[in-house]
Amino acid sequence: MTNDKLECILMSKVYTTQELIKILAAERQACLNGKRLKLEIPVSGNPVIDQFLMTDGLQQFTAYQDFKAAIHEYQRENQVSGIIWREVTVKGKNLNYPEVDSELIALTSDLEILKTAKNSIVEFWYEVSMGMDLYLSFNNNKQYQKIVTSDVERIVQITEWASLCKWENSNFLEMILQLGWGKPEEACYKRGRPQSGSEYIHAVNPGNRPIG
C-alpha cells in the first residue's frame, strides 16, 4: 500500500487503537509475503557486497517501516492512544496494567498513564517475586548479573514507568520487570539512549537462571 492510499484510507474516519493495530498487522503480513516493496532502494553497486545483501528483504522491511511511520504520524495528529491493557496472573494474584503496543507510539498523555501505573506494577512484581533470585540483564539480554532487592529499588527510583513479562510452565517461573524512561517505542533499542531506555530485572526460582 502506498502512503497516498494510506492517507486516503485514514482520512475516512478516526480509527481506534485496536483498529490501527489490525491495520499494521495486515500490512506487516503483506510485506512479509512480498506484496509490498520499496523499489527505489538501491543495492551497493559493488558485486562482492551485493551478493550478500538480501535486497527483497531490505525493501520489504523499509516499506513496512515507512507505513508504520505514517501510522505514527496519524496517531499524533488524531491523538490516538498507543496503549493497550494487559492482564497477568501469577501465583493466584491478578493485575491489569497499561502497556504501549509494540508497533505504536506513546502519546504524551500515554506516558502520564504509564507513570501513574508504575507503582502498582512494581508492587505486584515485588509481591510475586518474593524469595526468588534476582538478575539484571545486560548485553542485549545475553548476560545476567545477580542482584539484590536494594539494587532493584535504586533502579526503580531513577526510572519513569514499568512493564511486565512472564515465562511460566509446570516447573519454571520467570517474572521480568522492565523499568524504563523516555519513549517506550525507543526504550528497547540502544539508539534511543540516553533520552530513552530501560533495564530488565529477572526473577527466577532459587537455583534457576533466566531464559527471557
Side-chain angles (χ1 to χ4, degrees):
M1 184 183 301
T2 65
N3 281 347
D4 288 341
K5 289 182 180 178
L6 172 63
E7 185 176 351
C8 291
I9 291 172
L10 293 181
M11 286 176 61
S12 63
K13 70 169 189 174
V14 176
Y15 287 81
T16 66
T17 303
Q18 291 298 328
E19 287 172 330
L20 291 184
I21 292 171
K22 289 179 181 178
I23 290 171
L24 281 164
E27 184 66 15
R28 183 168 64 251
Q29 192 59 48
C31 288
L32 289 173
N33 292 339
K35 296 178 181 178
R36 307 281 192 265
L37 294 177
K38 190 176 177 65
L39 297 177
E40 64 268 26
I41 295 179
V43 291
S44 70
N46 184 316
V48 177
I49 295 175
D50 287 350
Q51 65 180 318
F52 297 107
L53 293 178
M54 298 177 61
T55 307
D56 286 352
L58 179 61
Q59 291 170 346
Q60 292 163 14
F61 173 78
T62 304
Y64 179 67
Q65 293 304 310
D66 285 353
F67 184 91
K68 187 163 67 170
I71 292 290
H72 293 171
E73 184 59 32
Y74 176 85
Q75 274 187 264
R76 296 185 190 96
E77 292 178 356
N78 294 276
Q79 290 296 290
V80 181
S81 173
I83 282 182
I84 54 177
W85 285 85
R86 301 286 194 191
E87 181 178 4
V88 62
T89 302
V90 186
K91 299 179 180 178
K93 304 179 188 302
N94 299 299
L95 178 71
N96 288 294
Y97 64 97
E99 179 180 279
V100 176
D101 183 82
S102 60
E103 299 299 305
L104 297 177
I105 61 169
L107 305 178
T108 301
S109 55
D110 292 340
L111 290 174
E112 294 306 312
I113 292 172
L114 296 179
K115 290 175 183 178
T116 300
K118 175 187 171 183
N119 287 343
S120 62
I121 294 172
V122 172
E123 288 170 8
F124 178 85
W125 182 86
Y126 275 138
E127 188 174 0
V128 300
S129 65
M130 189 175 299
M132 301 174 77
D133 288 346
L134 307 180
Y135 290 87
L136 174 67
S137 64
F138 58 99
N139 192 20
N140 295 319
N141 287 351
K142 295 177 183 176
Q143 295 177 277
Y144 302 92
Q145 177 183 342
K146 198 167 186 179
I147 59 175
V148 296
T149 302
S150 58
D151 297 318
V152 179
E153 291 171 350
R154 282 193 288 271
I155 298 173
V156 168
Q157 292 301 315
I158 60 173
T159 49
E160 299 175 332
W161 47 265
S163 190
L164 294 169
C165 182
K166 177 181 75 168
W167 296 95
E168 185 177 25
N169 59 34
S170 59
N171 55 14
F172 180 83
L173 173 64
E174 178 176 356
M175 285 299 302
I176 304 172
L177 175 66
Q178 180 187 11
L179 294 168
W181 66 93
K183 298 178 180 179
E185 63 268 20
E186 297 180 0
C188 296
Y189 306 102
K190 290 191 178 298
R191 59 180 169 78
R193 291 176 182 257
Q195 290 80 11
S196 301
S198 61
E199 302 291 352
Y200 293 87
I201 314 298
H202 303 250
V204 294
N205 290 323
N208 287 337
R209 295 278 297 179
I211 62 171

